[in-house]
Amino acid sequence: MVTDKEVLKFFSNELSIPLNRKWRPIPLELDTHLQDYCAPDELPYVIEDFGQKFGIDVSEINMNRYCPIIKISLFKRLIKGREIMRKIVSERPPFTVRMFAESARAGRWLYD
């Protein structure tokens, strides 16, 4: 049976480690939002590796739900960029390591 520690260790090893303002590493925890923790172009590759290692069909994950693609014109970005980003961040569902750990124990993706 897959444990939370195994999944957390997998993501800790696969994802690059972000640094805070004091140049100290930010630890990855079970309830860390992956959208905010790592680069958006890094996440799909790690999820694919997760699926191969733990035997989960990751094609069922709707990435646009968790990491929406935002197309905003330059004018809107300059005028209301922060406001739009706050709204998008507040409306998106969490995408955490705990979700992957629970799915690995179940043998399939449990969310969406």
Side-chain angles (χ1 to χ4, degrees):
M1 185 164 166
V2 179
T3 64
D4 290 345
K5 287 183 180 181
E6 285 179 87
V7 176
L8 188 60
K9 183 177 179 183
F10 170 80
F11 277 99
S12 295
N13 291 337
E14 292 288 323
L15 293 172
S16 57
I17 301 170
L19 303 174
N20 63 15
R21 292 181 183 171
K22 295 182 179 181
W23 296 93
R24 293 193 180 121
I26 299 171
L28 181 65
E29 298 172 357
L30 283 172
D31 293 320
T32 301
H33 288 243
L34 293 173
Q35 308 102 308
D36 301 330
Y37 187 80
C38 65
D41 60 340
E42 181 179 25
L43 200 51
Y45 298 109
V46 173
I47 291 172
E48 188 67 35
D49 293 344
F50 170 83
Q52 291 174 355
K53 179 170 181 167
F54 293 102
I56 305 294
D57 181 17
V58 293
S59 65
E60 297 177 14
I61 300 174
N62 182 3
M63 289 299 291
N64 287 332
R65 181 171 183 229
Y66 300 105
C67 304
I69 297 171
I70 306 158
K71 293 183 180 180
I72 304 170
S73 68
L74 177 61
F75 181 72
K76 275 190 177 180
R77 213 176 306 152
L78 292 173
I79 303 300
K80 294 185 177 184
R82 286 186 181 163
E83 181 181 325
I84 293 170
M85 288 305 295
R86 278 191 211 120
K87 181 180 178 193
I88 291 169
V89 167
S90 68
E91 291 176 355
R92 72 180 181 202
F95 198 46
T96 63
V97 176
R98 186 179 304 276
M99 294 169 72
F100 285 93
E102 290 171 1
S103 295
R105 279 193 291 279
R108 63 182 179 84
W109 183 248
L110 297 174
Y111 304 93
D112 288 336

